[in-house]
Amino acid sequence: MSRIDGRAADQLRPVTIERGWSKHAEGSVLVSFGDTRVLCTASVTEGVPRWRRGGGEGWVTGEYAMLPRATNTRGDRESVRGRIGGRTHEISRLIGRSLRAVIDFKALGENTVVLDCDVLQADGGTRTAAITGAFVALADAVAWGRRQKLIKAKAQPLTGTVSAVSVGIVAGVPLLDLAYEEDVRAETDMNVVCTGDGRFVEVQGTAEGQPFDRAELDALLDLGVAGCGRLAAAQREALGEG
Amino acid sequence: MSRIDGRAADQLRPVTIERGWSKHAEGSVLVSFGDTRVLCTASVTEGVPRWRRGGGEGWVTGEYAMLPRATNTRGDRESVRGRIGGRTHEISRLIGRSLRAVIDFKALGENTVVLDCDVLQADGGTRTAAITGAFVALADAVAWGRRQKLIKAKAQPLTGTVSAVSVGIVAGVPLLDLAYEEDVRAETDMNVVCTGDGRFVEVQGTAEGQPFDRAELDALLDLGVAGCGRLAAAQREALGEG
Amino acid sequence: MSRIDGRAADQLRPVTIERGWSKHAEGSVLVSFGDTRVLCTASVTEGVPRWRRGGGEGWVTGEYAMLPRATNTRGDRESVRGRIGGRTHEISRLIGRSLRAVIDFKALGENTVVLDCDVLQADGGTRTAAITGAFVALADAVAWGRRQKLIKAKAQPLTGTVSAVSVGIVAGVPLLDLAYEEDVRAETDMNVVCTGDGRFVEVQGTAEGQPFDRAELDALLDLGVAGCGRLAAAQREALGEG
Amino acid sequence: MSRIDGRAADQLRPVTIERGWSKHAEGSVLVSFGDTRVLCTASVTEGVPRWRRGGGEGWVTGEYAMLPRATNTRGDRESVRGRIGGRTHEISRLIGRSLRAVIDFKALGENTVVLDCDVLQADGGTRTAAITGAFVALADAVAWGRRQKLIKAKAQPLTGTVSAVSVGIVAGVPLLDLAYEEDVRAETDMNVVCTGDGRFVEVQGTAEGQPFDRAELDALLDLGVAGCGRLAAAQREALGEG
Amino acid sequence: MSRIDGRAADQLRPVTIERGWSKHAEGSVLVSFGDTRVLCTASVTEGVPRWRRGGGEGWVTGEYAMLPRATNTRGDRESVRGRIGGRTHEISRLIGRSLRAVIDFKALGENTVVLDCDVLQADGGTRTAAITGAFVALADAVAWGRRQKLIKAKAQPLTGTVSAVSVGIVAGVPLLDLAYEEDVRAETDMNVVCTGDGRFVEVQGTAEGQPFDRAELDALLDLGVAGCGRLAAAQREALGEG
Amino acid sequence: MSRIDGRAADQLRPVTIERGWSKHAEGSVLVSFGDTRVLCTASVTEGVPRWRRGGGEGWVTGEYAMLPRATNTRGDRESVRGRIGGRTHEISRLIGRSLRAVIDFKALGENTVVLDCDVLQADGGTRTAAITGAFVALADAVAWGRRQKLIKAKAQPLTGTVSAVSVGIVAGVPLLDLAYEEDVRAETDMNVVCTGDGRFVEVQGTAEGQPFDRAELDALLDLGVAGCGRLAAAQREALGEG
């Protein structure tokens, strides 16, 4: 009943959060959850999209993509196919919503932050690693904006922290932070996005095989909240706030 | 504290499920949840997509779209823009997953059923109405397939029923089956997809404003499960199984 | 020599024009010519496209589409294929031209009306039903614009009425308002668009098999003009002007 | 009341049909109607599209396009915009239908002929010049196919000839073969496609300003038929059959 | 060791440069290098693209395309496929760069010239014929702009002339101006773009088979420079400056 | 006259070639030329594209892309825009050609290798770093293919090595391996691709400002050949063949 990599059911894979990975971006993080590696960059620009102008509020959005050989078999590039797939769309939207949940748009001012999350290597949990890393890149970008006087000195655009983790039921056992091989065998798959104080930003649970009952759902939520807490600690440590 | 249309917090809007709406489709349903009206058609074809051939198993998929003036202001057609938006992608995928959760693919045989859910008029809850209506269209399509001998006489492709409902917290109060005006004011928004026996197929909760806590999540799940149960009854009645 | 549904050669199918079908659109009509059912909505917006600005004149345009299972076998969605087909383009342009033929753009003022014609069920004559229904939706939209003071009280943007019908030669006999099964067997196929006073807005005749001669063309035009006249009466009745 | 170039109302512009313009194509014609110049090439390939295979019948299709500076102001390339416009689609379809009207597909055998009509310079009547030139290129391609034994020695794939001309009412006067400046001022605009024996393949009349009555329609048809007859003579002469 | 058409190794094919080919364009040239024929039009518009505004400088750009049957077998239209191929992109960019090399943008003023180079018939060297012809069209367009007072009387937007030729090694022998059949057999293929005074604007050499050494490169450069010189003379003659 | 980073005119930036960067790909290299960092993966699949089947020969191709924030200001994703830009197309083609120059396709057998070169951080010379890194990834992929018996034991698919470097003239001085800030100021810009034995695979020189003369071209070629030689040594060392 032990996991493929010997972890306990409620144990995260090794997590690393490497800041300042890019010399160009206002915030940049190479995050890894085990063998899953995602490069998250935060790009700050003055101004907001047309539909949001004039209200004094900023905007934060996310874009997710995989390199073609991030996975075990090469996937066609979406740029070559000429269209973005449904999965990419869905995850990009999730990243944007998750980060906006901890932003005070008034405090951000009419500035836009784009979080690009590019998966360099995939081994399950790419979207949760992306959210967790993107938050740290966003924090660095906000700090940069403050130094550049784009953001007012006393403004606090970040209302909290946000992290995410996958959970799932494999062979009847609820597991935290699924690796790819566990993910494909999971009967139920859930992504939990939490703030640093343990509240929910997003909960997405899907029955891959049998429908799941309330007890299973509760067990997964418990695991997910605990995992997000440990990731929040890793974020604080990476930001030197531990 | 009463709702805009005078409903109780745990009350569905009037639900109608009109079968046999189209003369061409193998199954067709015009479903309405209040002013939300979705035309769901099920199209059966022999054979399965290339990647699924040869295993003797069928396939079920969904496509969702809105007519341009289903909403209060006209939206551009995705066909004219030349690409499908993220929201459309996301909902199409949800519909497909939800219906596949109650399908025994072996029993279906190498046949494909496409569920097209076109929103004729939108007033909140279009995806949940779509799933609820599509299941009935799917049941009719399966019956058609059995009459046509595409499906074996003793095969039971449907392993259960599936319905869906939205729930949300508006002004601090958990509400069932949000109308559009409630939806835009909701602090938390959740879609619950359940089987007829009350288990979960999909749970998607999103904090639109403040993050939500476990007690709120539990209240929403309770409401959602109860709502799905009443929709399952409406489905049975529509199918003459009440 | 009788027709598949027992009609006389110069007889229309049952025509219904149901106004106010949508709660959102400024004008909306569900029109049916027999089993052909088209939802026509008119959307009014202040202002005109960029290339038309500044002259004080309005604009009217049309968009036509079919739901994927409006027909006997399911068609791929044009939004999914990423491009609009030639037939769709052609009919959308025809609808726009036909309605513009009865518009005084000065009287309309710098307002735009988009007529969306979505075929819910197809059984031949979808473009002619669309034009006939769209005119009624347009009339309702103009009335709405006058109530909203977007259109001046004394302005008369509608210079007349417009309706359309298909005619064709099947097994040597000229027939009015072809159903799908007649249409596929027609040697010559023609669409006639007329104003309420019996003049032509558009005439499109095509030899599907043998070329046709002037006598056949004349017979088809006679049938078409008569059919349009009866449709104009149905429009007046629907608008309470009978 | 004389025309801009001094022609009589029922007079064609100078017509030239230059065969063998391309060294690669199986048939190729540079056709000019006055300043309108269209390069028509016919490409023959063995086999037919998938949906037509196995019946022993051939296929003929057309594609129309304009060079970006064929017109007075430069138009964007459709290849650069990434999509074909409605007008291009419509004319391509018209060309294909017109040529198929004089083809015996059994006699053609399972071969495909594509007629590419590229407008090098436009001055009104590009679609009618295209059809008239494409027929000659098609005739050359059929002759080539016979020499190559793709088409049987005794088979007669061409059942007749086809030509086309525009007619219109300008300042109340019916005119033949409109130049661009006449075309933009026309109240009614019609394209007439006829076989060499004077029957109709396609008639498309459109009211650009006022609707037109039956007498005007008749006058335009008379002009068009006469014009097509003279073009048929020019085709015969070009093919050395005069 | 003689060439397929009997030319000497260092001999150009017959070159013709026919000005004023189009009645609409501000400059237009039908250029031929043997059987390669390219229609080059220059379109002048006031103003520059958004990213270039306000600096008082003009812009020159190029677009290259092939008619579908310019080649021995018909190619699909890029407009129909919905995307431009890599080769088209690459050559369009080369044409633009080459012509910009002889433009003084200040002298041109805030005007844009687009050079459209459409290959009517291809037999090798289409890009070099396009550049050579486009320069002459550009010169005519500049003269037109001066007559229209878009360009100041004393301004000299052209700082020189530019022409281009292909060279290659076939069966070990360096050859000038390859025809298609030579091109496909070439071990090394090079395009040389020179100004009229013999300096280089662009050099692009590619090993198609074996890598090439410095001596071969030098021989090709010598041939290319000499060929460009003769083309520059042909350009001067065409412009009446011989 | 010293360079921005203190290098000599004929000095490369620090070069690192890190093999085995990805756990999934058959070959993977993170290559850096100074601050330019490119992830090159080689994906091997059995079989070749349809147009190449049956001849017993393999195929090698390349795809190049930049992460959106690889550069100083964020660029839109080509997948989001729905089309690949000309520069991307051009570089992808260059990478493919360069690597095919050192492949014996018979020895490779009917296998395909795709080289994906994704720029993680750009500081000039991304295409030359991509080619240099991709060769090492290709060598690892070939070794993998031999171990997997996809490639015969005695077959030598690699006929040599290939590397690439940029050279340019900045302020009149020929410089090797331009960083971005040098590149934007270069009057002439050249990319040189050489085999390990010092012959040319590709030479692409472009005048960005003034045209360049033969002496300048010769100086750039000398620098480029020398630079490629040093890169070939770095490749050998990375492959443990130093």
Side-chain angles (χ1 to χ4, degrees), chain E residues 204-219:
Chain E
Q204 293 194 340
T206 302
E208 303 286 350
Q210 288 297 309
F212 53 97
D213 62 22
R214 187 67 171 264
E216 291 170 313
L217 175 55
D218 285 338

Side-chain angles (χ1 to χ4, degrees), chain B:
Chain B
M1 224 183 82
S2 81
R3 299 173 73 171
I4 45 172
D5 52 4
R7 275 188 287 158
D10 64 349
Q11 196 179 345
L12 294 172
R13 289 177 289 179
V15 172
T16 66
I17 297 175
E18 185 183 343
R19 289 164 65 202
W21 204 85
S22 154
K23 79 173 208 181
H24 297 303
E26 286 73 42
S28 66
V29 162
L30 183 65
V31 63
S32 62
F33 281 21
D35 282 334
T36 288
R37 267 186 269 180
V38 185
L39 179 55
C40 307
T41 60
S43 298
V44 181
T45 46
E46 284 194 72
V48 285
R50 183 190 308 259
W51 55 269
R52 201 167 172 89
R53 279 182 204 153
E57 304 203 339
W59 188 240
V60 171
T61 186
E63 290 195 8
Y64 169 95
M66 279 217 195
L67 294 197
R69 194 57 198 277
T71 47
N72 194 40
T73 53
R74 184 177 184 275
D76 288 340
R77 286 177 192 270
E78 294 184 320
S79 58
V80 170
R81 271 187 287 156
R83 55 179 76 189
I84 283 180
R87 182 182 175 277
T88 297
H89 252 147
E90 200 170 305
I91 300 178
S92 292
R93 286 158 56 89
L94 172 64
I95 293 170
R97 280 200 309 272
S98 296
L99 293 166
R100 286 193 292 272
V102 293
I103 285 286
D104 174 339
F105 289 115
K106 278 281 180 203
L108 183 58
E110 285 209 8
N111 298 295
T112 297
V113 188
V114 181
L115 279 308
D116 284 292
C117 300
D118 287 88
V119 179
L120 306 187
Q121 188 168 276
D123 188 28
T126 61
R127 80 188 70 186
T128 55
I131 292 167
T132 303
F135 172 76
V136 177
L138 174 62
D140 278 338
V142 164
W144 179 91
R146 189 173 282 123
R147 290 194 303 274
Q148 300 296 314
K149 320 276 193 209
L150 287 175
I151 297 172
K152 290 181 189 153
K154 295 191 180 165
Q156 298 291 351
L158 294 178
T159 62
T161 72
V162 66
S163 61
V165 76
S166 74
V167 288
I169 300 177
V170 181
V173 182
L175 299 180
L176 178 67
D177 186 24
L178 307 187
Y180 179 73
E181 285 196 36
E182 294 172 332
D183 189 63
V184 294
R185 292 162 45 219
E187 293 112 43
T188 295
D189 188 16
M190 180 175 286
N191 290 293
V192 179
V193 185
C194 287
T195 51
D197 62 4
R199 286 180 299 159
F200 297 101
V201 166
E202 187 104 13
V203 171
Q204 293 193 341
T206 301
E208 303 285 348
Q210 287 299 308
F212 52 97
D213 61 24
R214 186 69 171 264
E216 290 169 315
L217 175 55
D218 285 339
L220 290 174
L221 288 168
D222 291 341
L223 267 182
V225 170
C228 282
R230 264 167 277 149
L231 290 165
Q235 290 173 323
R236 282 192 302 270
E237 188 178 359
L239 287 164
E241 300 165 1

Side-chain angles (χ1 to χ4, degrees), chain A residues 139-152:
Chain A
D140 277 337
V142 164
W144 179 92
R146 189 173 283 122
R147 290 195 302 273
Q148 299 296 314
K149 318 278 191 207
L150 287 175
I151 296 170
K152 290 183 189 153

Side-chain angles (χ1 to χ4, degrees), chain F residues 72-201:
Chain F
N72 195 40
T73 54
R74 185 178 183 274
D76 288 340
R77 285 177 193 270
E78 295 185 318
S79 58
V80 170
R81 271 187 287 157
R83 55 179 76 188
I84 283 180
R87 182 182 174 278
T88 297
H89 252 147
E90 202 170 304
I91 299 177
S92 292
R93 287 157 55 88
L94 173 63
I95 293 170
R97 279 199 310 274
S98 296
L99 293 166
R100 286 192 293 272
V102 293
I103 286 285
D104 174 339
F105 290 116
K106 278 282 179 204
L108 183 58
E110 286 209 8
N111 298 296
T112 297
V113 188
V114 180
L115 279 308
D116 284 292
C117 300
D118 287 88
V119 180
L120 305 186
Q121 188 170 276
D123 187 27
T126 61
R127 80 189 70 186
T128 54
I131 292 167
T132 303
F135 172 76
V136 177
L138 174 62
D140 278 336
V142 164
W144 178 91
R146 189 173 284 124
R147 289 195 302 275
Q148 299 296 314
K149 319 275 191 209
L150 287 175
I151 297 172
K152 290 181 190 155
K154 294 191 181 166
Q156 298 291 352
L158 294 177
T159 63
T161 73
V162 67
S163 60
V165 77
S166 74
V167 287
I169 300 177
V170 181
V173 183
L175 299 180
L176 178 66
D177 186 23
L178 308 186
Y180 179 73
E181 284 196 37
E182 295 172 330
D183 189 63
V184 294
R185 291 164 44 220
E187 294 111 43
T188 295
D189 189 15
M190 179 175 288
N191 290 294
V192 179
V193 185
C194 287
T195 51
D197 61 5
R199 287 181 297 158
F200 297 99
V201 165

Side-chain angles (χ1 to χ4, degrees), chain D residues 96-110:
Chain D
R97 281 199 309 272
S98 296
L99 293 167
R100 287 193 292 271
V102 293
I103 285 285
D104 174 339
F105 289 116
K106 277 282 180 204
L108 183 58
E110 286 208 8

